[in-house]
Amino acid sequence: MILTVDVGNTRIKAAVFEGSTVLENFVFEKNKLEKKIKIILEKFQNCTDLVVASVGNIEKQSFLTFEDQLKIHFLTHEDIFPFINKYATPKTLGIDRMVLAAGATLQFPKQNRLVIDAGTCITYDFIDENDNYLGGAISPGLRLRYEALHNYTAKLPLLALDAPESYIGNSTKEAIHSGVVNGFVYEIDGFIDEYRENFSNFIIILTGGDAEFLAKRLKNTIFANSNFLLESLNQTFQYKIDND
Ligand SMILES: Nc1ncnc2c1ncn2[C@@H]1O[C@H](COP(=O)(O)OP(=O)(O)O)[C@@H](O)[C@H]1O
Ligand SMILES: CC(C)(COP(=O)(O)O)[C@@H](O)C(=O)NCCC(=O)O
Ligand SMILES: [K+]
C-alpha cells in the first residue's frame, strides 16, 4: 500500500493505492500538508512508501517527519523514467510533466500521446510512438487568466470561473468570461488540431483541476481523467522499483 502525493502550484492532491487500485483520494491546501498526511497515515497504517512529485515550493524536507513511519521517495530528475527525454533542458522539466509522460508511456504503449494538464498552468506534453518525450507547451491556467486580467489592469474585476453565454461578450463580465474561457478552449483545440495534422495513431489524455470543466467544451472529444497524475505517480514508482 503506498501514499502518492502531487504537490502542484495551487493545491496538493493525494491518493492511497493498493496495487493499481485507488483506496481513497484527497485534495488539500499546501499549508495543511503535515496535518493531512498524519491523518491519512493514521487511517491507512499499512502504507509502506510515500511517493511525492512536487513542482510547488514544498521540498523533500517537509516530508522527512514521516520517515520513521514509511519510506519517502521524493521523485527527482535522477530517477528512472520509461521514456527518452529529448527536452533540450532536461533538468528544468517539471517533475509533474515527467510523471504525466511516464503514465502516458506506460498506459498507452506504442502510440503518439499528448497529455494536457489544466491546473495552475496548462501543460502540454508530447511523447511519440517510440517513447521519445519531445516537449510541449506551458500556458496560464484558467484561474491565472482571471487573476492576470484583474492584477494588470486598472478597471477589470476579479471574476470566478463561469461559462460565457456567447463568444461575443455583451458586458464587461461576459467579455472577460468569453476571453478567458473561450480563449482557453480555442487554444487547446488549436493545439490538438496541430498535433493531429502532424501525427497519426494519437491519443489525448486530459487531466488537472479544470479538466472536467473543459472536457465538455472542447471540439475534440477527449476523456478527462482527473486522477491521471496520481495514477501515473503510482505507476512511475512501480516502474522505478522494477527497473532500478
Ligand atoms: N477547490 C478548488 N480550489 C482551487 N482550484 C480549484 C478548485 N476546484 C477546481 N479548481 C481549479 O483547478 C485549478 C487547479 O488545478 P490543479 O490541477 O489542482 O492545479 P495544480 O496541480 O497546478 O496545483 C485551478 O486553476 C481552478 O480553476
Ligand atoms: C509548468 C509547471 C509550473 C506546471 O505546474 P502546475 O500547473 O502543475 O502547478 C511545472 O511543470 C514546472 O514548474 N515546470 C518547470 C519548467 C518546464 O517544465 O519546462
Ligand atoms: K498542471
Side-chain angles (χ1 to χ4, degrees):
M1 184 183 289
I2 72 162
L3 172 56
T4 57
V5 178
D6 159 21
V7 179
N9 284 289
T10 297
R11 303 180 293 175
I12 297 181
K13 281 72 65 187
V16 174
F17 283 89
E18 184 69 84
S20 58
T21 309
V22 177
L23 300 188
E24 190 167 345
N25 272 100
F26 309 87
V27 182
F28 48 88
E29 299 311 307
K30 296 157 83 166
N31 61 8
K32 301 272 190 317
L33 176 76
E34 195 158 333
K35 200 160 73 73
K36 287 286 184 180
I37 301 265
K38 215 159 144 312
I39 293 167
I40 296 169
L41 293 179
E42 272 156 19
K43 179 172 180 182
F44 294 96
Q45 308 208 358
N46 296 343
C47 277
T48 54
D49 299 86
L50 169 58
V51 189
V52 185
S54 175
V55 287
N57 44 14
I58 293 185
E59 298 306 328
K60 180 168 184 173
Q61 194 63 31
S62 308
F63 297 90
L64 294 183
T65 47
F66 302 105
E67 67 181 342
D68 55 337
Q69 293 181 66
L70 74 179
K71 213 156 173 302
I72 313 288
H73 308 269
F74 193 84
L75 289 194
T76 67
H77 295 91
E78 277 60 57
D79 281 302
I80 183 168
F81 288 88
F83 54 79
I84 303 137
N85 191 341
K86 301 272 192 180
Y87 215 49
T89 56
K91 295 266 183 287
T92 68
L93 178 55
I95 281 292
D96 58 334
R97 298 179 69 190
M98 296 179 76
V99 169
L100 291 168
T105 305
L106 296 169
Q107 278 191 51
F108 304 101
K110 305 273 167 282
Q111 283 189 271
N112 290 307
R113 296 142 284 197
L114 175 64
V115 188
I116 303 172
D117 181 339
T120 308
C121 302
I122 314 171
T123 47
Y124 300 81
D125 292 297
F126 187 73
I127 310 94
D128 75 12
E129 54 198 353
N130 302 312
D131 296 348
N132 296 303
Y133 173 86
L134 302 185
I138 300 172
S139 172
L142 267 181
R143 196 168 51 83
L144 231 50
R145 294 174 189 225
Y146 279 112
E147 291 190 357
L149 287 174
H150 174 65
N151 294 337
Y152 289 91
T153 64
K155 296 191 166 39
L156 295 186
L158 177 58
L159 300 182
L161 169 58
D162 193 6
E165 264 123 50
S166 155
Y167 65 98
I168 305 174
N170 66 354
S171 70
T172 299
K173 284 189 176 177
E174 275 306 303
I176 292 172
H177 287 309
S178 176
V180 169
V181 176
N182 289 321
F184 191 72
V185 169
Y186 298 151
E187 170 191 303
I188 294 177
D189 273 328
F191 269 119
I192 292 173
D193 291 345
E194 188 69 30
Y195 278 96
R196 263 204 220 291
E197 254 167 58
N198 295 287
F199 295 97
S200 58
N201 181 18
F202 175 66
I203 181 162
I204 306 164
I205 303 129
L206 175 64
T207 189
D210 289 315
E212 296 299 326
F213 176 82
L214 260 179
K216 44 190 181 286
R217 286 173 172 75
L218 292 171
K219 176 180 57 138
N220 291 281
T221 46
I222 49 184
F223 298 103
N225 173 358
S226 52
N227 229 22
F228 189 72
L229 201 148
L230 290 169
E231 286 171 14
S232 302
L233 191 47
N234 182 42
Q235 286 179 311
T236 307
F237 175 63
Q238 207 45 58
Y239 179 84
K240 173 183 156 82
I241 300 293
D242 298 347
N243 292 281
D244 239 355

mmCIF file with all atom_site columns, all heavy atoms in Angstrom, residues 65-86:
data_model
loop_
_atom_site.group_PDB
_atom_site.id
_atom_site.type_symbol
_atom_site.label_atom_id
_atom_site.label_alt_id
_atom_site.label_comp_id
_atom_site.label_asym_id
_atom_site.label_entity_id
_atom_site.label_seq_id
_atom_site.pdbx_PDB_ins_code
_atom_site.Cartn_x
_atom_site.Cartn_y
_atom_site.Cartn_z
_atom_site.occupancy
_atom_site.B_iso_or_equiv
_atom_site.pdbx_formal_charge
_atom_site.auth_seq_id
_atom_site.auth_comp_id
_atom_site.auth_asym_id
_atom_site.auth_atom_id
_atom_site.pdbx_PDB_model_num
ATOM 1   N N   . THR A 1 65 ? 9.476  14.292 8.315   1.00 0.00 ? 65 THR A N   1
ATOM 2   C CA  . THR A 1 65 ? 8.913  13.963 9.649   1.00 0.00 ? 65 THR A CA  1
ATOM 3   C C   . THR A 1 65 ? 8.254  12.577 9.616   1.00 0.00 ? 65 THR A C   1
ATOM 4   O O   . THR A 1 65 ? 8.010  11.982 10.647  1.00 0.00 ? 65 THR A O   1
ATOM 5   C CB  . THR A 1 65 ? 7.826  14.988 10.029  1.00 0.00 ? 65 THR A CB  1
ATOM 6   O OG1 . THR A 1 65 ? 6.969  15.160 8.910   1.00 0.00 ? 65 THR A OG1 1
ATOM 7   C CG2 . THR A 1 65 ? 8.421  16.312 10.405  1.00 0.00 ? 65 THR A CG2 1
ATOM 8   N N   . PHE A 1 66 ? 7.984  12.076 8.404   1.00 0.00 ? 66 PHE A N   1
ATOM 9   C CA  . PHE A 1 66 ? 7.294  10.781 8.302   1.00 0.00 ? 66 PHE A CA  1
ATOM 10  C C   . PHE A 1 66 ? 8.251  9.624  8.045   1.00 0.00 ? 66 PHE A C   1
ATOM 11  O O   . PHE A 1 66 ? 7.839  8.476  7.912   1.00 0.00 ? 66 PHE A O   1
ATOM 12  C CB  . PHE A 1 66 ? 6.229  10.838 7.189   1.00 0.00 ? 66 PHE A CB  1
ATOM 13  C CG  . PHE A 1 66 ? 5.210  11.925 7.401   1.00 0.00 ? 66 PHE A CG  1
ATOM 14  C CD1 . PHE A 1 66 ? 5.248  13.092 6.646   1.00 0.00 ? 66 PHE A CD1 1
ATOM 15  C CD2 . PHE A 1 66 ? 4.255  11.808 8.408   1.00 0.00 ? 66 PHE A CD2 1
ATOM 16  C CE1 . PHE A 1 66 ? 4.322  14.116 6.851   1.00 0.00 ? 66 PHE A CE1 1
ATOM 17  C CE2 . PHE A 1 66 ? 3.332  12.827 8.629   1.00 0.00 ? 66 PHE A CE2 1
ATOM 18  C CZ  . PHE A 1 66 ? 3.361  13.975 7.853   1.00 0.00 ? 66 PHE A CZ  1
ATOM 19  N N   . GLU A 1 67 ? 9.573  9.937  7.982   1.00 0.00 ? 67 GLU A N   1
ATOM 20  C CA  . GLU A 1 67 ? 10.466 8.854  7.535   1.00 0.00 ? 67 GLU A CA  1
ATOM 21  C C   . GLU A 1 67 ? 10.639 7.752  8.567   1.00 0.00 ? 67 GLU A C   1
ATOM 22  O O   . GLU A 1 67 ? 11.151 6.687  8.249   1.00 0.00 ? 67 GLU A O   1
ATOM 23  C CB  . GLU A 1 67 ? 11.812 9.418  7.065   1.00 0.00 ? 67 GLU A CB  1
ATOM 24  C CG  . GLU A 1 67 ? 12.670 10.033 8.086   1.00 0.00 ? 67 GLU A CG  1
ATOM 25  C CD  . GLU A 1 67 ? 13.960 10.562 7.437   1.00 0.00 ? 67 GLU A CD  1
ATOM 26  O OE1 . GLU A 1 67 ? 14.304 10.147 6.307   1.00 0.00 ? 67 GLU A OE1 1
ATOM 27  O OE2 . GLU A 1 67 ? 14.623 11.385 8.075   1.00 0.00 ? 67 GLU A OE2 1
ATOM 28  N N   . ASP A 1 68 ? 10.151 7.978  9.791   1.00 0.00 ? 68 ASP A N   1
ATOM 29  C CA  . ASP A 1 68 ? 10.214 6.864  10.762  1.00 0.00 ? 68 ASP A CA  1
ATOM 30  C C   . ASP A 1 68 ? 9.008  5.935  10.580  1.00 0.00 ? 68 ASP A C   1
ATOM 31  O O   . ASP A 1 68 ? 8.956  4.835  11.106  1.00 0.00 ? 68 ASP A O   1
ATOM 32  C CB  . ASP A 1 68 ? 10.255 7.419  12.193  1.00 0.00 ? 68 ASP A CB  1
ATOM 33  C CG  . ASP A 1 68 ? 9.068  8.344  12.442  1.00 0.00 ? 68 ASP A CG  1
ATOM 34  O OD1 . ASP A 1 68 ? 8.527  8.867  11.430  1.00 0.00 ? 68 ASP A OD1 1
ATOM 35  O OD2 . ASP A 1 68 ? 8.665  8.531  13.594  1.00 0.00 ? 68 ASP A OD2 1
ATOM 36  N N   . GLN A 1 69 ? 8.019  6.407  9.776   1.00 0.00 ? 69 GLN A N   1
ATOM 37  C CA  . GLN A 1 69 ? 6.803  5.575  9.586   1.00 0.00 ? 69 GLN A CA  1
ATOM 38  C C   . GLN A 1 69 ? 6.832  4.789  8.278   1.00 0.00 ? 69 GLN A C   1
ATOM 39  O O   . GLN A 1 69 ? 6.316  3.679  8.189   1.00 0.00 ? 69 GLN A O   1
ATOM 40  C CB  . GLN A 1 69 ? 5.565  6.471  9.568   1.00 0.00 ? 69 GLN A CB  1
ATOM 41  C CG  . GLN A 1 69 ? 5.245  7.141  10.893  1.00 0.00 ? 69 GLN A CG  1
ATOM 42  C CD  . GLN A 1 69 ? 3.980  7.977  10.743  1.00 0.00 ? 69 GLN A CD  1
ATOM 43  O OE1 . GLN A 1 69 ? 2.917  7.458  10.526  1.00 0.00 ? 69 GLN A OE1 1
ATOM 44  N NE2 . GLN A 1 69 ? 4.118  9.290  10.836  1.00 0.00 ? 69 GLN A NE2 1
ATOM 45  N N   . LEU A 1 70 ? 7.416  5.451  7.205   1.00 0.00 ? 70 LEU A N   1
ATOM 46  C CA  . LEU A 1 70 ? 7.429  4.750  5.898   1.00 0.00 ? 70 LEU A CA  1
ATOM 47  C C   . LEU A 1 70 ? 8.538  5.341  5.036   1.00 0.00 ? 70 LEU A C   1
ATOM 48  O O   . LEU A 1 70 ? 9.111  6.387  5.380   1.00 0.00 ? 70 LEU A O   1
ATOM 49  C CB  . LEU A 1 70 ? 6.064  4.844  5.223   1.00 0.00 ? 70 LEU A CB  1
ATOM 50  C CG  . LEU A 1 70 ? 5.567  6.141  4.589   1.00 0.00 ? 70 LEU A CG  1
ATOM 51  C CD1 . LEU A 1 70 ? 4.196  5.912  3.981   1.00 0.00 ? 70 LEU A CD1 1
ATOM 52  C CD2 . LEU A 1 70 ? 5.550  7.329  5.500   1.00 0.00 ? 70 LEU A CD2 1
ATOM 53  N N   . LYS A 1 71 ? 8.848  4.663  3.936   1.00 0.00 ? 71 LYS A N   1
ATOM 54  C CA  . LYS A 1 71 ? 9.959  5.073  3.074   1.00 0.00 ? 71 LYS A CA  1
ATOM 55  C C   . LYS A 1 71 ? 9.516  6.264  2.211   1.00 0.00 ? 71 LYS A C   1
ATOM 56  O O   . LYS A 1 71 ? 8.442  6.209  1.605   1.00 0.00 ? 71 LYS A O   1
ATOM 57  C CB  . LYS A 1 71 ? 10.330 3.875  2.175   1.00 0.00 ? 71 LYS A CB  1
ATOM 58  C CG  . LYS A 1 71 ? 11.817 3.792  1.846   1.00 0.00 ? 71 LYS A CG  1
ATOM 59  C CD  . LYS A 1 71 ? 12.229 2.338  1.489   1.00 0.00 ? 71 LYS A CD  1
ATOM 60  C CE  . LYS A 1 71 ? 13.671 2.347  0.998   1.00 0.00 ? 71 LYS A CE  1
ATOM 61  N NZ  . LYS A 1 71 ? 13.862 3.255  -0.191  1.00 0.00 ? 71 LYS A NZ  1
ATOM 62  N N   . ILE A 1 72 ? 10.347 7.304  2.204   1.00 0.00 ? 72 ILE A N   1
ATOM 63  C CA  . ILE A 1 72 ? 9.997  8.514  1.435   1.00 0.00 ? 72 ILE A CA  1
ATOM 64  C C   . ILE A 1 72 ? 10.700 8.464  0.075   1.00 0.00 ? 72 ILE A C   1
ATOM 65  O O   . ILE A 1 72 ? 11.909 8.257  0.019   1.00 0.00 ? 72 ILE A O   1
ATOM 66  C CB  . ILE A 1 72 ? 10.477 9.789  2.186   1.00 0.00 ? 72 ILE A CB  1
ATOM 67  C CG1 . ILE A 1 72 ? 10.091 9.758  3.662   1.00 0.00 ? 72 ILE A CG1 1
ATOM 68  C CG2 . ILE A 1 72 ? 9.981  11.051 1.474   1.00 0.00 ? 72 ILE A CG2 1
ATOM 69  C CD1 . ILE A 1 72 ? 8.643  9.946  3.967   1.00 0.00 ? 72 ILE A CD1 1
ATOM 70  N N   . HIS A 1 73 ? 9.926  8.631  -0.999  1.00 0.00 ? 73 HIS A N   1
ATOM 71  C CA  . HIS A 1 73 ? 10.524 8.704  -2.342  1.00 0.00 ? 73 HIS A CA  1
ATOM 72  C C   . HIS A 1 73 ? 10.110 10.045 -2.941  1.00 0.00 ? 73 HIS A C   1
ATOM 73  O O   . HIS A 1 73 ? 8.970  10.206 -3.372  1.00 0.00 ? 73 HIS A O   1
ATOM 74  C CB  . HIS A 1 73 ? 10.010 7.574  -3.231  1.00 0.00 ? 73 HIS A CB  1
ATOM 75  C CG  . HIS A 1 73 ? 10.146 6.224  -2.607  1.00 0.00 ? 73 HIS A CG  1
ATOM 76  N ND1 . HIS A 1 73 ? 11.256 5.431  -2.770  1.00 0.00 ? 73 HIS A ND1 1
ATOM 77  C CD2 . HIS A 1 73 ? 9.316  5.539  -1.771  1.00 0.00 ? 73 HIS A CD2 1
ATOM 78  C CE1 . HIS A 1 73 ? 11.098 4.303  -2.090  1.00 0.00 ? 73 HIS A CE1 1
ATOM 79  N NE2 . HIS A 1 73 ? 9.926  4.357  -1.471  1.00 0.00 ? 73 HIS A NE2 1
ATOM 80  N N   . PHE A 1 74 ? 11.039 10.978 -2.941  1.00 0.00 ? 74 PHE A N   1
ATOM 81  C CA  . PHE A 1 74 ? 10.758 12.317 -3.466  1.00 0.00 ? 74 PHE A CA  1
ATOM 82  C C   . PHE A 1 74 ? 11.338 12.335 -4.883  1.00 0.00 ? 74 PHE A C   1
ATOM 83  O O   . PHE A 1 74 ? 12.556 12.370 -5.039  1.00 0.00 ? 74 PHE A O   1
ATOM 84  C CB  . PHE A 1 74 ? 11.446 13.353 -2.564  1.00 0.00 ? 74 PHE A CB  1
ATOM 85  C CG  . PHE A 1 74 ? 11.015 14.771 -2.781  1.00 0.00 ? 74 PHE A CG  1
ATOM 86  C CD1 . PHE A 1 74 ? 9.870  15.270 -2.159  1.00 0.00 ? 74 PHE A CD1 1
ATOM 87  C CD2 . PHE A 1 74 ? 11.741 15.612 -3.613  1.00 0.00 ? 74 PHE A CD2 1
ATOM 88  C CE1 . PHE A 1 74 ? 9.474  16.584 -2.351  1.00 0.00 ? 74 PHE A CE1 1
ATOM 89  C CE2 . PHE A 1 74 ? 11.347 16.929 -3.817  1.00 0.00 ? 74 PHE A CE2 1
ATOM 90  C CZ  . PHE A 1 74 ? 10.220 17.420 -3.182  1.00 0.00 ? 74 PHE A CZ  1
ATOM 91  N N   . LEU A 1 75 ? 10.493 12.187 -5.912  1.00 0.00 ? 75 LEU A N   1
ATOM 92  C CA  . LEU A 1 75 ? 10.984 11.980 -7.278  1.00 0.00 ? 75 LEU A CA  1
ATOM 93  C C   . LEU A 1 75 ? 11.836 13.165 -7.751  1.00 0.00 ? 75 LEU A C   1
ATOM 94  O O   . LEU A 1 75 ? 11.486 14.327 -7.517  1.00 0.00 ? 75 LEU A O   1
ATOM 95  C CB  . LEU A 1 75 ? 9.817  11.775 -8.251  1.00 0.00 ? 75 LEU A CB  1
ATOM 96  C CG  . LEU A 1 75 ? 9.061  10.452 -8.144  1.00 0.00 ? 75 LEU A CG  1
ATOM 97  C CD1 . LEU A 1 75 ? 8.188  10.254 -9.374  1.00 0.00 ? 75 LEU A CD1 1
ATOM 98  C CD2 . LEU A 1 75 ? 9.989  9.258  -7.987  1.00 0.00 ? 75 LEU A CD2 1
ATOM 99  N N   . THR A 1 76 ? 12.961 12.838 -8.413  1.00 0.00 ? 76 THR A N   1
ATOM 100 C CA  . THR A 1 76 ? 13.824 13.878 -8.991  1.00 0.00 ? 76 THR A CA  1
ATOM 101 C C   . THR A 1 76 ? 14.205 13.459 -10.413 1.00 0.00 ? 76 THR A C   1
ATOM 102 O O   . THR A 1 76 ? 13.875 12.356 -10.849 1.00 0.00 ? 76 THR A O   1
ATOM 103 C CB  . THR A 1 76 ? 15.148 14.004 -8.186  1.00 0.00 ? 76 THR A CB  1
ATOM 104 O OG1 . THR A 1 76 ? 15.888 12.782 -8.397  1.00 0.00 ? 76 THR A OG1 1
ATOM 105 C CG2 . THR A 1 76 ? 14.902 14.196 -6.710  1.00 0.00 ? 76 THR A CG2 1
ATOM 106 N N   . HIS A 1 77 ? 14.913 14.326 -11.109 1.00 0.00 ? 77 HIS A N   1
ATOM 107 C CA  . HIS A 1 77 ? 15.350 14.039 -12.482 1.00 0.00 ? 77 HIS A CA  1
ATOM 108 C C   . HIS A 1 77 ? 16.297 12.852 -12.519 1.00 0.00 ? 77 HIS A C   1
ATOM 109 O O   . HIS A 1 77 ? 16.515 12.257 -13.568 1.00 0.00 ? 77 HIS A O   1
ATOM 110 C CB  . HIS A 1 77 ? 16.043 15.279 -13.062 1.00 0.00 ? 77 HIS A CB  1
ATOM 111 C CG  . HIS A 1 77 ? 15.100 16.425 -13.209 1.00 0.00 ? 77 HIS A CG  1
ATOM 112 N ND1 . HIS A 1 77 ? 14.927 17.362 -12.204 1.00 0.00 ? 77 HIS A ND1 1
ATOM 113 C CD2 . HIS A 1 77 ? 14.221 16.756 -14.183 1.00 0.00 ? 77 HIS A CD2 1
ATOM 114 C CE1 . HIS A 1 77 ? 14.007 18.238 -12.583 1.00 0.00 ? 77 HIS A CE1 1
ATOM 115 N NE2 . HIS A 1 77 ? 13.562 17.903 -13.765 1.00 0.00 ? 77 HIS A NE2 1
ATOM 116 N N   . GLU A 1 78 ? 16.867 12.503 -11.376 1.00 0.00 ? 78 GLU A N   1
ATOM 117 C CA  . GLU A 1 78 ? 17.829 11.365 -11.336 1.00 0.00 ? 78 GLU A CA  1
ATOM 118 C C   . GLU A 1 78 ? 17.091 10.027 -11.358 1.00 0.00 ? 78 GLU A C   1
ATOM 119 O O   . GLU A 1 78 ? 17.692 8.995  -11.612 1.00 0.00 ? 78 GLU A O   1
ATOM 120 C CB  . GLU A 1 78 ? 18.702 11.435 -10.059 1.00 0.00 ? 78 GLU A CB  1
ATOM 121 C CG  . GLU A 1 78 ? 19.909 12.374 -10.179 1.00 0.00 ? 78 GLU A CG  1
ATOM 122 C CD  . GLU A 1 78 ? 19.512 13.821 -10.460 1.00 0.00 ? 78 GLU A CD  1
ATOM 123 O OE1 . GLU A 1 78 ? 18.746 14.374 -9.642  1.00 0.00 ? 78 GLU A OE1 1
ATOM 124 O OE2 . GLU A 1 78 ? 19.910 14.379 -11.504 1.00 0.00 ? 78 GLU A OE2 1
ATOM 125 N N   . ASP A 1 79 ? 15.773 10.055 -11.120 1.00 0.00 ? 79 ASP A N   1
ATOM 126 C CA  . ASP A 1 79 ? 15.038 8.781  -11.105 1.00 0.00 ? 79 ASP A CA  1
ATOM 127 C C   . ASP A 1 79 ? 14.901 8.217  -12.520 1.00 0.00 ? 79 ASP A C   1
ATOM 128 O O   . ASP A 1 79 ? 15.075 8.936  -13.511 1.00 0.00 ? 79 ASP A O   1
ATOM 129 C CB  . ASP A 1 79 ? 13.645 9.003  -10.484 1.00 0.00 ? 79 ASP A CB  1
ATOM 130 C CG  . ASP A 1 79 ? 13.741 9.051  -8.947  1.00 0.00 ? 79 ASP A CG  1
ATOM 131 O OD1 . ASP A 1 79 ? 14.224 8.058  -8.378  1.00 0.00 ? 79 ASP A OD1 1
ATOM 132 O OD2 . ASP A 1 79 ? 13.386 10.084 -8.359  1.00 0.00 ? 79 ASP A OD2 1
ATOM 133 N N   . ILE A 1 80 ? 14.574 6.942  -12.610 1.00 0.00 ? 80 ILE A N   1
ATOM 134 C CA  . ILE A 1 80 ? 14.443 6.285  -13.908 1.00 0.00 ? 80 ILE A CA  1
ATOM 135 C C   . ILE A 1 80 ? 13.011 6.464  -14.435 1.00 0.00 ? 80 ILE A C   1
ATOM 136 O O   . ILE A 1 80 ? 12.048 6.335  -13.691 1.00 0.00 ? 80 ILE A O   1
ATOM 137 C CB  . ILE A 1 80 ? 14.800 4.776  -13.766 1.00 0.00 ? 80 ILE A CB  1
ATOM 138 C CG1 . ILE A 1 80 ? 14.734 4.077  -15.119 1.00 0.00 ? 80 ILE A CG1 1
ATOM 139 C CG2 . ILE A 1 80 ? 13.969 4.070  -12.717 1.00 0.00 ? 80 ILE A CG2 1
ATOM 140 C CD1 . ILE A 1 80 ? 15.354 2.691  -15.092 1.00 0.00 ? 80 ILE A CD1 1
ATOM 141 N N   . PHE A 1 81 ? 12.916 6.848  -15.707 1.00 0.00 ? 81 PHE A N   1
ATOM 142 C CA  . PHE A 1 81 ? 11.603 7.073  -16.342 1.00 0.00 ? 81 PHE A CA  1
ATOM 143 C C   . PHE A 1 81 ? 11.516 6.234  -17.617 1.00 0.00 ? 81 PHE A C   1
ATOM 144 O O   . PHE A 1 81 ? 12.546 5.968  -18.249 1.00 0.00 ? 81 PHE A O   1
ATOM 145 C CB  . PHE A 1 81 ? 11.429 8.565  -16.671 1.00 0.00 ? 81 PHE A CB  1
ATOM 146 C CG  . PHE A 1 81 ? 11.202 9.428  -15.448 1.00 0.00 ? 81 PHE A CG  1
ATOM 147 C CD1 . PHE A 1 81 ? 12.280 9.962  -14.745 1.00 0.00 ? 81 PHE A CD1 1
ATOM 148 C CD2 . PHE A 1 81 ? 9.912  9.679  -14.984 1.00 0.00 ? 81 PHE A CD2 1
ATOM 149 C CE1 . PHE A 1 81 ? 12.081 10.745 -13.608 1.00 0.00 ? 81 PHE A CE1 1
ATOM 150 C CE2 . PHE A 1 81 ? 9.708  10.458 -13.856 1.00 0.00 ? 81 PHE A CE2 1
ATOM 151 C CZ  . PHE A 1 81 ? 10.783 10.998 -13.166 1.00 0.00 ? 81 PHE A CZ  1
ATOM 152 N N   . PRO A 1 82 ? 10.303 5.812  -17.999 1.00 0.00 ? 82 PRO A N   1
ATOM 153 C CA  . PRO A 1 82 ? 10.141 4.879  -19.137 1.00 0.00 ? 82 PRO A CA  1
ATOM 154 C C   . PRO A 1 82 ? 10.114 5.559  -20.491 1.00 0.00 ? 82 PRO A C   1
ATOM 155 O O   . PRO A 1 82 ? 9.511  5.053  -21.440 1.00 0.00 ? 82 PRO A O   1
ATOM 156 C CB  . PRO A 1 82 ? 8.788  4.219  -18.834 1.00 0.00 ? 82 PRO A CB  1
ATOM 157 C CG  . PRO A 1 82 ? 8.014  5.282  -18.126 1.00 0.00 ? 82 PRO A CG  1
ATOM 158 C CD  . PRO A 1 82 ? 9.014  6.065  -17.332 1.00 0.00 ? 82 PRO A CD  1
ATOM 159 N N   . PHE A 1 83 ? 10.753 6.752  -20.623 1.00 0.00 ? 83 PHE A N   1
ATOM 160 C CA  . PHE A 1 83 ? 10.791 7.408  -21.937 1.00 0.00 ? 83 PHE A CA  1
ATOM 161 C C   . PHE A 1 83 ? 12.178 8.013  -22.126 1.00 0.00 ? 83 PHE A C   1
ATOM 162 O O   . PHE A 1 83 ? 12.960 8.133  -21.176 1.00 0.00 ? 83 PHE A O   1
ATOM 163 C CB  . PHE A 1 83 ? 9.699  8.498  -22.051 1.00 0.00 ? 83 PHE A CB  1
ATOM 164 C CG  . PHE A 1 83 ? 9.735  9.514  -20.928 1.00 0.00 ? 83 PHE A CG  1
ATOM 165 C CD1 . PHE A 1 83 ? 10.653 10.556 -20.928 1.00 0.00 ? 83 PHE A CD1 1
ATOM 166 C CD2 . PHE A 1 83 ? 8.859  9.407  -19.843 1.00 0.00 ? 83 PHE A CD2 1
ATOM 167 C CE1 . PHE A 1 83 ? 10.704 11.481 -19.889 1.00 0.00 ? 83 PHE A CE1 1
ATOM 168 C CE2 . PHE A 1 83 ? 8.898  10.336 -18.795 1.00 0.00 ? 83 PHE A CE2 1
ATOM 169 C CZ  . PHE A 1 83 ? 9.814  11.369 -18.820 1.00 0.00 ? 83 PHE A CZ  1
ATOM 170 N N   . ILE A 1 84 ? 12.465 8.378  -23.377 1.00 0.00 ? 84 ILE A N   1
ATOM 171 C CA  . ILE A 1 84 ? 13.755 9.017  -23.660 1.00 0.00 ? 84 ILE A CA  1
ATOM 172 C C   . ILE A 1 84 ? 13.521 10.531 -23.619 1.00 0.00 ? 84 ILE A C   1
ATOM 173 O O   . ILE A 1 84 ? 12.700 11.058 -24.385 1.00 0.00 ? 84 ILE A O   1
ATOM 174 C CB  . ILE A 1 84 ? 14.276 8.581  -25.054 1.00 0.00 ? 84 ILE A CB  1
ATOM 175 C CG1 . ILE A 1 84 ? 14.384 7.046  -25.119 1.00 0.00 ? 84 ILE A CG1 1
ATOM 176 C CG2 . ILE A 1 84 ? 15.625 9.235  -25.360 1.00 0.00 ? 84 ILE A CG2 1
ATOM 177 C CD1 . ILE A 1 84 ? 13.872 6.480  -26.434 1.00 0.00 ? 84 ILE A CD1 1
ATOM 178 N N   . ASN A 1 85 ? 14.194 11.213 -22.725 1.00 0.00 ? 85 ASN A N   1
ATOM 179 C CA  . ASN A 1 85 ? 13.948 12.641 -22.510 1.00 0.00 ? 85 ASN A CA  1
ATOM 180 C C   . ASN A 1 85 ? 14.709 13.481 -23.540 1.00 0.00 ? 85 ASN A C   1
ATOM 181 O O   . ASN A 1 85 ? 15.907 13.651 -23.444 1.00 0.00 ? 85 ASN A O   1
ATOM 182 C CB  . ASN A 1 85 ? 14.390 13.019 -21.085 1.00 0.00 ? 85 ASN A CB  1
ATOM 183 C CG  . ASN A 1 85 ? 13.911 14.419 -20.711 1.00 0.00 ? 85 ASN A CG  1
ATOM 184 O OD1 . ASN A 1 85 ? 13.572 15.212 -21.601 1.00 0.00 ? 85 ASN A OD1 1
ATOM 185 N ND2 . ASN A 1 85 ? 13.875 14.715 -19.430 1.00 0.00 ? 85 ASN A ND2 1
ATOM 186 N N   . LYS A 1 86 ? 13.966 13.996 -24.533 1.00 0.00 ? 86 LYS A N   1
ATOM 187 C CA  . LYS A 1 86 ? 14.605 14.769 -25.615 1.00 0.00 ? 86 LYS A CA  1
ATOM 188 C C   . LYS A 1 86 ? 14.520 16.277 -25.365 1.00 0.00 ? 86 LYS A C   1
ATOM 189 O O   . LYS A 1 86 ? 14.793 17.076 -26.251 1.00 0.00 ? 86 LYS A O   1
ATOM 190 C CB  . LYS A 1 86 ? 13.918 14.455 -26.967 1.00 0.00 ? 86 LYS A CB  1
ATOM 191 C CG  . LYS A 1 86 ? 13.975 12.996 -27.336 1.00 0.00 ? 86 LYS A CG  1
ATOM 192 C CD  . LYS A 1 86 ? 15.242 12.678 -28.111 1.00 0.00 ? 86 LYS A CD  1
ATOM 193 C CE  . LYS A 1 86 ? 15.150 11.292 -28.736 1.00 0.00 ? 86 LYS A CE  1
ATOM 194 N NZ  . LYS A 1 86 ? 16.332 10.922 -29.504 1.00 0.00 ? 86 LYS A NZ  1
#
